[in-house]
Amino acid sequence: MRKSALILAIAPLIFALSACSGDSGNTANTASTPGSNSTSSVNRNRWDTVKNRGQLICGVSGEVPGFSFVGTDGKYSGIDVDVCRAVAAALFDNPDAVEFRNLNSKERFTALQTGEVDILSRNTTWTLSRTTSVGLEFAPVVFYDGQAIMIRKNSGIKSLADLKDKAICVQTGTTTEQNLADQMRKRNITYKPVVFEDVNITFATYAEGRCDGITADRSALVARRSILPKPEDNVILDEVISSEPLAPAVAKGDNKWADTVKWVVYALVKAEELGINSQNIAQFATSSDPDIKRFLGTEGNLGEGLGLTNDFAARIIKHVGNYSEIYDRNLGPKTKLNLPRGQNQLWSKGGLLYSPPFR
Amino acid sequence: MTNMKSLWRDRRFWQIAGQLLAVFLAVAIVTILWGNLNRNLQQLGIQFGFDFLKQQASFDIGETLITYKPTDTYSRALWVGLVNSLRIAVTGIFLTTIVGISAGIARLSDNWLVRNIALVYVEIFRNTPLLLQLLFWYFAVFLGFPKVESKISLWGLVYLSQNGIQFPWFTLSPEFSALLLGLTFYTGAFIAEIVRGGIQSVPKGQWEAARSLGLKPGLVMRLVIFPQALRVIIPPLTSQYLNLTKNSSLAIAIGYPDIYFVASTTFNQTGRAVEVILLIMLTYLTLSLTISIVMNLFNRTVQIKER
């Protein structure tokens, strides 16, 4: 008994000691690694890893309808899912060459850092600290969102101020948790956060009546409301308390891989700008417009610059469609969510979506 | 030469050499792992370090025993979590001891009903997962209570509602209450079995001798049997206290902000996986060792003193 306690007691000591020696030996280690790059570097050759594997591994939530959700038929759907399909279409000419991994908000960054997933497409807010200290490289925003609060219709709550001293359900590990604290601090409103790790439990607790309000990205609230016991009894307050640009991300380290993902997203937007969609793409094959020709790869060699085929954009649009097709399919008026496009409209129509030139 | 030979044959030499080898191996393994970690972090462009603890946490915590506001640092937030953990561990250990000893003694009761109620309790709570029980306490019991406006009154002293258990001078949140009761009854079932085993290990002659002195059954248990049973009970009881303390980290499932919970949030906001995991490990190691040491001291006082 006593001996084992002693060993336990000195374990941290050994740990601490080796920490020092590890630090000093570090430069030597890096100097001697060139030969063993492939094993130690998780992300340096991500592009090659994906290409050689013949399949994309994509981290999603799987729990947010419209963004990433597993249907009763076991199939994934949603805007985040379609982004991954678009990347697979560009790389392999096959939108189904994707393996989806469900990640919760806590697991997501580690999964990316350790190379367990190639891309994180999981309604994740693009922030400064996530690009610096967490080591993420964000692709362009695929959905401009804002944080909101949902309450029960019969609660008499009309604005944030009415939530004084009330309990608000929050999911941990999200930017929403910090935004809520910021907002309430700014407005001098005291409140009681009830915080959970699991999104299902967060919403279940709200549904049980423990919390007077629940906060999340507006889109997530709309999406989750659709699967609450009585959706119509819940309303989302008009106040938007933060801006949440949701974007796919890859781990830093492989620029070629990051560029590929970025330009796949741009291609979706560009196609909508050019009026090209999965239905009419064949008609554009003979177009004489140089912009369209370059985009579809019938002229120039833009795709090769990314290590892809020149017709990579055409592949994406053929298999997955352009941005508006993806939006309408997952979030548009024909879906249960029926989210107006708002900021997620092309710049030319008053929105924020804009693609740099394909030239 | 003969010196060397005798050295090779010396048992003590081999004992020391073995220890040294073990230490060397341990240090070597940890150094390799550490170097590997550093290299990988460097390639990911992430710096190892604990500076982030001084940054502003900017998230709120629902339950705090010490003052805390979102403008405080991550280290302050972690303290809040640690205090919350200690609160659950200390009250949990106290309550579970009472529950466990009562149920353990009840298991040996002459009364059929008492005996079998204890049996059903022990078997149900020992044989279902703790996480399931916690979710049950939280969702079925505490969130099943009425809203605060129509709270249930127990003799006008204690009120039950979705806001928790309200005593005249303080309120226990549903998250804390669910975790406390979950841990107490789960661990209590194991302790009941330990207590039963301990009591049964006391030779029958002790019962007979005590009774022949004219002691009443309650006194027989308190003065003769239980003190002797403690010798058998305490070592496994220590394990149960450790289990309770470590299992309190399941708080994360039902939203009670303990140290594991706050550390998870910290890790999430900062991306400092390795540092935070190290902190969590160190914290639980310290808690566990403290309980171990206290219980070992206690154990020494109840052991038979050979004279």
Side-chain angles (χ1 to χ4, degrees):
Chain A
M1 190 88 193
R2 205 185 308 161
K3 202 181 231 171
S4 62
L6 183 73
I7 291 174
L8 272 179
I10 60 169
L13 194 73
I14 294 175
F15 217 95
L17 280 174
S18 56
C20 310
S21 65
D23 261 344
S24 56
N26 194 32
T27 40
N29 278 339
T30 29
S32 64
T33 43
S36 57
N37 257 347
S38 53
T39 50
S40 60
S41 159
V42 219
N43 296 308
R44 194 166 288 173
N45 300 309
R46 184 52 49 178
W47 200 96
D48 297 330
T49 309
V50 178
K51 194 73 185 172
N52 291 337
R53 195 194 297 127
Q55 196 187 30
L56 179 73
I57 300 179
C58 172
V60 295
S61 153
E63 317 239 37
V64 187
F67 284 80
S68 57
F69 196 71
V70 196
T72 44
D73 54 357
K75 284 210 176 100
Y76 278 85
S77 66
I79 188 168
D80 288 342
V81 165
D82 282 344
V83 167
C84 292
R85 296 224 162 101
V87 175
L91 284 168
F92 309 116
D93 202 9
N94 175 10
D96 295 321
V98 189
E99 184 189 327
F100 292 103
R101 298 252 171 98
N102 285 11
L103 301 170
N104 70 25
S105 55
K106 201 171 98 185
E107 297 159 340
R108 54 184 168 178
F109 301 133
T110 318
L112 197 58
Q113 286 168 344
T114 54
E116 212 173 293
V117 297
D118 304 317
I119 171 173
L120 183 71
S121 185
R122 191 203 169 283
N123 45 331
T124 297
T125 305
W126 184 346
T127 72
L128 175 60
S129 66
R130 283 174 180 173
T131 61
T132 52
S133 56
V134 188
L136 303 191
E137 178 98 38
F138 282 92
V141 175
V142 294
F143 192 87
Y144 288 93
D145 212 340
Q147 187 180 343
I149 293 179
M150 181 160 74
I151 45 112
R152 269 174 291 277
K153 215 182 237 170
N154 60 9
S155 64
I157 295 165
K158 295 273 176 280
S159 69
L160 266 188
D162 295 336
L163 281 162
K164 190 170 166 51
D165 295 327
K166 303 273 191 204
I168 303 176
C169 280
V170 198
Q171 200 193 344
T172 185
T174 54
T175 46
T176 49
E177 190 182 7
Q178 289 172 311
N179 293 334
L180 180 69
D182 283 357
Q183 275 297 324
M184 297 310 226
R185 196 171 97 209
K186 199 166 85 185
R187 301 181 188 204
N188 231 338
I189 305 170
T190 51
Y191 71 106
K192 189 178 154 46
V194 184
V195 186
F196 300 92
E197 188 177 54
D198 185 279
V199 62
N200 294 319
I201 292 187
T202 316
F203 278 85
T205 307
Y206 166 76
E208 289 288 331
R210 162 78 176 112
C211 300
D212 304 281
I214 180 167
T215 187
D217 291 348
R218 173 173 285 272
S219 63
L221 288 178
V222 173
R224 293 293 310 207
R225 180 171 62 176
S226 69
I227 50 175
L228 277 183
K230 278 187 188 158
E232 63 282 2
D233 287 356
N234 303 280
V235 283
I236 298 168
L237 295 179
D238 285 334
E239 280 160 296
V240 177
I241 61 179
S242 71
S243 45
E244 307 283 338
L246 309 183
V250 298
K252 279 194 173 144
D254 185 345
N255 290 335
K256 191 174 161 191
W257 178 234
D259 287 342
T260 303
V261 174
K262 285 176 189 174
W263 283 91
V264 166
V265 176
Y266 283 135
L268 299 173
V269 175
K270 186 73 184 174
E272 189 183 353
E273 272 179 35
L274 295 173
I276 306 174
N277 63 38
S278 59
Q279 304 303 314
N280 66 15
I281 187 165
Q283 298 157 26
F284 285 88
T286 52
S287 168
S288 57
D289 183 339
D291 204 15
I292 290 172
K293 285 177 111 172
R294 274 195 304 272
F295 181 71
L296 294 178
T298 50
E299 185 181 298
N301 55 355
L302 289 173
E304 277 170 23
L306 293 169
L308 301 170
T309 56
N310 286 327
D311 67 340
F312 80 99
R315 288 175 167 189
I316 297 171
I317 308 311
K318 208 165 62 198
H319 290 299
V320 190
N322 66 23
Y323 185 87
S324 76
E325 285 179 280
I326 292 176
Y327 191 97
D328 290 345
R329 179 159 68 224
N330 298 306
L331 308 167
K334 282 186 193 141
T335 66
K336 249 200 225 167
L337 304 179
N338 190 10
L339 282 175
R341 271 201 58 181
Q343 297 165 300
N344 295 293
Q345 199 38 285
L346 290 181
W347 64 279
S348 51
K349 294 179 184 165
L352 294 169
L353 297 185
Y354 185 90
S355 165
F358 275 66
R359 59 162 66 248
Chain B
M1 201 62 201
T2 47
N3 242 349
M4 274 302 267
K5 240 180 196 165
S6 63
L7 190 64
W8 286 131
R9 287 187 188 147
D10 190 351
R11 227 176 108 240
R12 259 194 324 180
F13 167 77
W14 284 111
Q15 276 176 348
I16 295 168
Q19 299 271 349
L20 283 176
L21 189 70
V23 170
F24 176 77
L25 276 179
V27 171
I29 290 170
V30 174
T31 312
I32 291 169
L33 289 178
W34 190 262
N36 191 41
L37 170 74
N38 265 320
R39 202 163 53 239
N40 283 334
L41 285 178
Q42 221 168 39
Q43 273 162 0
L44 290 170
I46 302 172
Q47 285 277 317
F48 181 87
F50 288 92
D51 286 349
F52 70 95
L53 287 173
K54 288 182 219 136
Q55 289 166 19
Q56 184 179 306
S58 64
F59 60 87
D60 212 336
I61 300 179
E63 270 179 74
T64 56
L65 283 188
I66 54 178
T67 57
Y68 171 82
K69 47 192 185 313
T71 41
D72 286 334
T73 58
Y74 280 115
S75 54
R76 181 71 184 178
L78 289 168
W79 272 117
V80 171
L82 180 60
V83 172
N84 280 345
S85 280
L86 289 174
R87 180 181 177 215
I88 207 83
V90 171
T91 47
I93 284 175
F94 176 74
L95 286 180
T96 201
T97 309
I98 298 175
V99 170
I101 291 177
S102 313
I105 293 175
R107 285 276 275 123
L108 298 169
S109 167
D110 294 333
N111 184 318
W112 184 90
L113 189 64
V114 171
R115 196 169 63 234
N116 281 289
I117 287 176
L119 175 74
V120 169
Y121 157 67
V122 168
E123 293 309 326
I124 288 179
F125 281 81
R126 226 162 53 113
N127 294 307
T128 48
L130 175 57
L131 183 60
L132 189 75
Q133 291 181 28
L134 289 179
L135 292 174
F136 170 81
W137 283 106
Y138 190 55
F139 281 105
V141 179
F142 282 95
L143 296 191
F145 286 142
K147 295 230 176 300
V148 69
E149 296 87 43
S150 45
K151 54 193 171 191
I152 307 170
S153 161
L154 301 177
W155 315 285
L157 278 175
V158 183
Y159 294 95
L160 300 175
S161 74
Q162 279 194 338
N163 280 16
I165 309 176
Q166 198 183 333
F167 295 93
W169 53 94
F170 68 103
T171 304
L172 299 178
S173 75
E175 290 80 24
F176 176 83
S177 314
L179 182 64
L180 181 64
L181 291 186
L183 287 172
T184 297
F185 285 108
Y186 177 78
T187 319
F190 286 90
I191 294 179
E193 287 296 89
I194 291 167
V195 169
R196 181 176 65 91
I199 291 172
Q200 283 178 333
S201 77
V202 178
K204 226 177 161 200
Q206 296 287 326
W207 291 87
E208 292 163 354
R211 260 185 236 130
S212 70
L213 288 174
L215 288 176
K216 284 181 186 151
L219 287 178
V220 172
M221 180 58 84
R222 223 176 71 203
L223 298 177
V224 179
I225 306 301
F226 203 70
Q228 296 187 70
L230 273 182
R231 289 168 199 156
V232 178
I233 289 172
I234 288 179
L237 185 67
T238 309
S239 301
Q240 291 308 321
Y241 288 170
L242 294 178
N243 281 346
L244 186 142
T245 309
K246 289 181 291 181
N247 285 340
S248 68
S249 61
L250 285 172
I252 196 159
I254 54 169
Y256 177 71
D258 75 330
I259 177 74
Y260 183 73
F261 187 106
V262 177
S264 297
T265 307
T266 304
F267 145 57
N268 236 310
Q269 310 282 23
T270 58
R272 299 281 176 181
V274 182
E275 292 91 334
V276 172
I277 297 289
L278 275 176
L279 279 179
I280 296 177
M281 279 167 62
L282 263 178
T283 309
Y284 281 102
L285 191 63
T286 314
L287 284 179
S288 295
L289 286 176
T290 312
I291 294 173
S292 255
I293 290 167
V294 171
M295 289 302 284
N296 283 343
L297 289 176
F298 181 46
N299 193 28
R300 222 172 277 171
T301 65
V302 299
Q303 293 304 318
I304 302 177
K305 305 214 174 34
E306 306 271 353
R307 274 175 254 253

